[in-house]
Amino acid sequence: MAKNPHTESNSGPANDTGKTNEHSKNEQLETVRSNAEGHDLRTNQGVRIADNHNSLKAGERGPTLLEDFIFREKMNHFDNERIPERIVHARGAAAHGYFQPYENAAQFSKAGLFQDPDKRTPVFTRISTVQGSRGSNDTVRDVRGFAVKFYTDEGNWDLVGNNIPVFFIQDANKFPDFVHAVKPEPHNEIPQGQSAHDTLWDFVSLMPEATHAVLWTMSDRAFPRHFRSMEGFGVHTFRLIDKEEKSRFVKFHWKPLAGTCSLIWDEAQKLWGRDPDFNRRGMWEDISNGDFIEWELGIQVIEEEDEHSFDFDILDPTKLIPEELVPVTPIGKMVLNRNPDNYFAETEQVAFSPGHIVPGIDFSNDPLLQGRLFSYLDTQMLRLGGPNFHEIPINRPVCPYHNNQRDSVHRQTINTGQASYEPNSIDGGWPKETPAGPENGGFESHHERVDANKVRARSDSFGDHYSQARLFWNSQTEVEQAHIIQAYAFELSKVQRPHIRERVITEILPNISIELAQAVGKIHGIDAPSAPTASADELGTSSLDKSPALSLMARLPGNIKHRKIAILAANGVNSDQVNKLRQKLEEEGATAMVIAPSMAPIKGADGSNVESDAMLNGLPSVTMDAVIVPGGKDSVAELANSGQGRYYLQEAYKHLKVIVLLGEGKELLYAANVPEDQGILLGENIDDVFDRFKDALGQHRVWSRDSVANDMPA
């Protein structure tokens, strides 16, 4: 007889990984799914509805009657459909999947999800912007949240991080101040989803500890090309506890198997209007098409005896640990392979917290992390209507859970038995504590001796605010540095108060780079100092001058898998070339999209039909990774005579994309007045250029073009 998961004893062995699999969460959710196909329309009380178009009235033109219980139920539910949105991370997209550990994972932690390399633990991952409301855009300059809920046999573990490894503040006490500063300004609720305004720059220019995270946000990391090409970080230092109860400090990393790449600023801005759902749409469509999204989970491991061996404090959330000092060890892989069934029920109601951990994982004394352990629970209680948010299906653990908590709003569990306290002798003493000892699987906090006075203070080891900002700047390529200069220049141009702009340029930027300060200062007509302005303690020191791993170029994909390629075509196109392009691109794992002046079937030069996937203004070049123009005299002539056709090529060139022109296709290049460079590939047929095309697109963009692309009027 199958066990009832709501009454099963918790006295089983620790780390019992035989109960669940990667489908366990999906199977649990199946019990609450509802498909209306074949069903009558009914009220929430089960009464069939005969007329869903008209409210009950006193005569056809008379007043609506209060007794219309069907209308009242429908309207009351509609009026209450929205819950408070998240204060930060309000706009998000999510997907289901699984995590599978590697052989080496078990040596670092006793957590059950790491023990068996054949075991797949279900996960739900939500990626979000931070500043904007639910109605804001995907491609704004912002940090991205990266939160993963692991439904393990031992309970839920939430790894709640970001796509940058550091944060803006060191102590959680300043978090409300930071969020108030970065949010739309309170007097006019402007700007939405952006950091380019007075209050943010006033705050960060007065808080040097924010400098490092601001620099990351001014880099191309601030707008990922696709969620699959985005790194994730746990930000804080955590602990892993192994089977011998030995504790080690760790930093968590999500490394995208597709490589790292981002949008560029002009491209991101144009996507605001052309596809404000660009990132979330890309994830949804790729998963729907079976092109699943993958990351490796890696850890940087610091032995306890090495805690103080760095030139920074590993508990400081504004600091990262360079990979050259502590390499990232891969311990597993996450695959996102299923979209949610309902956005509100799953993506909007999912409740993450860094306080959701399992045996084998524990906290450090990072003061920002310590504050988050309080804040998240408080937030979920408000957003989701009380302490029973864990009973919402997307938040339920897949393992049994029993305690003496009862009642409150939205309670769904019907607890049997008379005793709701512990210890008791009425219900056999159940539920009972798990006996102490690592072999039994109960959670026990790491035993750390603490002997200190109660103080409101900050460790001197947190006083270095600039050394890692300099390290990040020095580690960027020339192109990336140029983009950072442009970002600071643009952001500060939106700051209305001159003294704030001047403070950033003269008091903050010189401590990162004199070159950066002077370049931004020149654009704003402000003389930047010729030497750093901070004290020696604030400037800090670093044992590294550069860390190549901090550049997006460090993890270029090197192939064209997952890339979306535009094939521009019109009537008279060389249909053989189109068909061969489709085949060769799909063999490489890329997606070919035939884009035409209209959605009508295209008549090839040989009389065959070619189906168009989108129109020129429907899938603009900013949504594509590269552009190919096949031959066909009439096709190229129609595109060349079209403003949209010429603009498509100009815009792709401006955004550093690889452009291939076959046969007569080169005439579109000339008509668009686009100059030739190493990213413009000409050939009579696809075989002439395909290998060069793969190599060029494997670098993501034609970076050598960056210095001249801004001259394009597109």
Side-chain angles (χ1 to χ4, degrees):
M1 182 177 177
K3 293 181 178 179
N4 184 335
H6 296 288
T7 59
E8 183 183 346
S9 166
N10 67 343
S11 60
N15 298 334
D16 181 357
T17 57
K19 297 177 184 176
T20 63
N21 56 49
E22 66 177 289
H23 306 296
S24 296
K25 190 62 187 178
N26 189 31
E27 292 165 359
Q28 184 191 65
L29 292 175
E30 184 61 32
T31 65
V32 292
R33 290 192 179 103
S34 177
N35 188 328
E37 185 176 354
H39 288 272
D40 295 329
L41 189 66
R42 297 174 182 251
T43 70
N44 288 333
Q45 305 305 316
V47 179
R48 285 186 173 91
I49 298 173
D51 185 344
N52 190 45
H53 297 280
N54 302 292
S55 55
L56 187 65
K57 306 179 185 70
E60 292 181 354
R61 299 185 69 250
T64 299
L65 301 179
L66 187 62
E67 73 179 66
D68 189 351
F69 68 96
I70 295 175
F71 166 77
R72 283 189 289 113
E73 178 194 87
K74 182 178 182 180
M75 187 57 68
N76 180 266
H77 194 281
F78 173 77
D79 290 343
N80 289 275
E81 280 180 0
R82 294 295 175 263
I83 62 175
E85 69 175 34
R86 291 166 171 86
I87 296 174
V88 286
H89 300 279
R91 180 177 178 82
H96 293 272
Y98 66 84
F99 171 79
Q100 188 167 5
Y102 295 156
E103 290 277 358
N104 64 335
Q107 69 177 292
F108 298 108
S109 173
K110 65 182 180 182
L113 80 160
F114 294 136
Q115 303 309 304
D116 182 359
D118 293 325
K119 170 80 170 178
R120 290 181 172 182
T121 297
V123 301
F124 189 66
T125 298
R126 185 178 187 270
I127 299 174
S128 55
T129 52
V130 174
Q131 195 260 27
S133 69
R134 277 191 61 189
S136 56
N137 291 323
D138 270 4
T139 59
V140 294
R141 181 181 294 280
D142 201 353
V143 177
R144 299 303 186 279
F146 195 128
V148 182
K149 187 179 290 291
F150 299 79
Y151 301 99
T152 87
D153 291 335
E154 301 173 297
N156 291 348
W157 171 39
D158 293 352
L159 181 52
V160 191
N162 287 326
N163 75 323
I164 69 173
V166 293
F167 204 65
F168 298 84
I169 53 172
Q170 294 174 329
D171 192 295
N173 193 45
K174 296 305 295 177
F175 188 71
D177 295 304
F178 167 69
V179 174
H180 289 165
V182 75
K183 278 286 191 176
E185 296 188 0
H187 66 298
N188 60 8
E189 190 64 10
I190 296 173
Q192 179 61 244
Q194 300 177 58
S195 55
H197 58 99
D198 283 40
T199 58
L200 182 277
W201 286 97
D202 184 41
F203 178 81
V204 299
S205 66
L206 294 169
M207 294 286 292
E209 67 197 62
T211 301
H212 190 196
V214 170
L215 188 61
W216 278 78
T217 312
M218 293 302 104
S219 77
D220 290 348
R221 302 269 185 163
F223 18 77
R225 170 64 180 83
H226 193 293
F227 291 150
R228 73 161 71 247
S229 60
M230 184 182 81
E231 286 187 288
F233 304 90
V235 179
H236 306 288
T237 297
F238 290 86
R239 291 181 184 269
L240 290 183
I241 315 296
D242 68 16
K243 294 176 182 177
E244 282 70 47
E245 297 302 299
K246 178 177 174 57
S247 167
R248 297 177 177 88
F249 293 109
V250 296
K251 292 270 196 180
F252 291 108
H253 295 249
W254 290 109
K255 299 296 186 185
L257 293 183
T260 55
C261 56
S262 287
L263 300 168
I264 56 178
W265 178 227
D266 184 73
E267 189 177 32
Q269 285 181 300
K270 289 176 177 176
L271 277 165
W272 292 1
R274 298 184 187 182
D275 188 356
D277 305 303
F278 177 71
N279 288 137
R280 66 202 318 201
R281 187 191 309 279
M283 181 166 74
W284 181 279
E285 291 180 347
D286 281 0
I287 292 175
S288 296
N289 294 331
D291 191 7
F292 301 147
I293 305 175
E294 301 175 323
W295 288 266
E296 276 192 320
L297 178 62
I299 55 174
Q300 290 177 296
V301 181
I302 305 97
E303 301 293 340
E304 282 201 323
E305 56 268 26
D306 296 328
E307 177 182 359
H308 302 291
S309 62
F310 302 94
D311 48 20
F312 53 89
D313 195 322
I314 65 170
L315 300 186
D316 181 350
T318 68
K319 303 295 188 296
L320 54 82
I321 302 176
E323 294 183 29
E324 291 77 10
L325 300 181
V326 181
V328 175
T329 301
I331 62 169
K333 184 172 82 168
M334 178 172 69
V335 179
L336 301 184
N337 58 11
R338 185 170 66 82
N339 285 315
D341 293 296
N342 183 277
Y343 183 91
F344 178 84
E346 298 172 84
T347 306
E348 185 63 17
Q349 289 196 121
V350 66
F352 295 97
S353 171
H356 296 163
I357 58 174
V358 295
I361 301 168
D362 211 338
F363 312 119
S364 75
N365 294 332
D366 173 341
L368 181 60
L369 172 60
Q370 294 285 318
R372 291 178 72 199
L373 300 179
F374 167 82
S375 175
Y376 278 69
L377 177 61
D378 206 38
T379 295
Q380 307 304 356
M381 296 266 286
L382 174 66
R383 285 192 66 244
L384 299 173
N388 287 317
F389 64 85
H390 64 282
E391 295 206 71
I392 297 172
I394 193 62
N395 294 320
R396 288 179 196 160
V398 296
C399 63
Y401 60 97
H402 303 278
N403 51 54
N404 294 311
Q405 297 167 15
R406 297 288 189 270
D407 308 337
S408 192
V409 67
H410 304 316
R411 186 71 175 182
Q412 298 176 51
T413 301
I414 300 174
N415 300 99
T416 61
Q418 188 174 348
S420 56
Y421 51 88
E422 191 276 333
N424 74 75
S425 63
I426 293 177
D427 290 336
W430 299 105
K432 298 179 181 179
E433 293 177 330
T434 299
E439 69 278 2
N440 295 311
F443 184 87
E444 297 179 76
S445 294
H446 174 65
H447 293 178
E448 179 185 14
R449 179 178 174 81
V450 178
D451 183 8
N453 297 320
K454 290 192 292 185
V455 295
R456 291 189 183 274
R458 199 170 299 187
S459 170
D460 290 342
S461 59
F462 281 40
D464 166 8
H465 299 320
Y466 294 109
S467 67
Q468 290 207 345
R470 291 197 302 275
L471 177 64
F472 182 79
W473 169 262
N474 293 338
S475 303
Q476 305 304 293
T477 63
E478 289 186 10
V479 170
E480 289 172 301
Q481 288 182 342
H483 290 177
I484 290 171
I485 291 170
Q486 293 163 12
Y488 274 102
F490 173 84
E491 295 272 314
L492 294 177
S493 74
K494 297 295 184 178
V495 173
Q496 300 300 308
R497 293 168 174 82
H499 72 273
I500 297 176
R501 295 197 300 270
E502 184 173 354
R503 187 163 62 225
V504 173
I505 292 169
T506 62
E507 298 181 25
I508 299 294
L509 297 187
N511 305 314
I512 304 172
S513 162
I514 299 301
E515 175 192 1
L516 170 62
Q518 292 180 344
V520 177
K522 181 178 180 181
I523 294 170
H524 283 274
I526 296 173
D527 291 331
S530 57
T533 59
S535 68
D537 287 341
E538 278 196 318
L539 283 173
T541 59
S542 174
S543 60
L544 294 176
D545 182 54
K546 290 185 179 181
S547 174
L550 298 180
S551 169
L552 279 170
M553 310 299 183
R555 294 179 179 86
L556 290 170
N559 58 46
I560 66 171
K561 191 177 181 182
H562 313 301
R563 296 311 177 109
K564 292 178 171 56
I565 318 301
I567 301 174
L568 302 191
N571 288 328
V573 70
N574 185 325
S575 53
D576 286 340
Q577 287 184 349
V578 173
N579 294 332
K580 190 170 184 178
L581 280 168
R582 282 191 188 274
Q583 179 184 348
K584 291 181 77 69
L585 290 170
E586 288 171 4
E587 287 172 354
E588 297 290 335
T591 300
M593 305 290 290
V594 174
I595 299 177
S598 75
M599 292 301 295
I602 301 165
K603 187 69 69 176
D606 60 0
S608 63
N609 282 339
V610 176
E611 294 296 324
S612 59
D613 297 303
M615 292 170 34
L616 289 167
N617 61 355
L619 272 184
S621 73
V622 288
T623 64
M624 297 285 110
D625 292 300
V627 178
I628 300 178
V629 183
K633 183 178 179 181
D634 291 343
S635 171
V636 174
E638 182 175 347
L639 292 169
N641 289 326
S642 160
Q644 289 182 346
R646 297 192 301 273
Y647 184 77
Y648 209 101
L649 228 59
Q650 292 169 347
E651 192 174 54
Y653 179 87
K654 182 180 182 70
H655 297 147
L656 317 183
K657 294 178 181 177
V658 182
I659 300 173
V660 176
L661 305 115
L662 304 179
E664 298 92 343
K666 61 181 178 291
E667 298 301 323
L668 181 58
L669 185 76
Y670 305 145
N673 197 29
V674 171
E676 294 185 36
D677 63 21
Q678 65 186 59
I680 304 292
L681 307 180
L682 306 178
E684 288 303 311
N685 56 68
I686 189 60
D687 291 330
D688 293 343
V689 297
F690 198 70
D691 286 341
R692 287 187 291 146
F693 169 72
K694 288 195 300 180
D695 291 342
L697 187 53
Q699 301 300 306
H700 182 50
R701 296 187 191 272
V702 185
W703 298 110
S704 59
R705 186 190 298 159
D706 187 68
S707 60
V708 298
N710 286 334
D711 293 335
M712 287 296 296

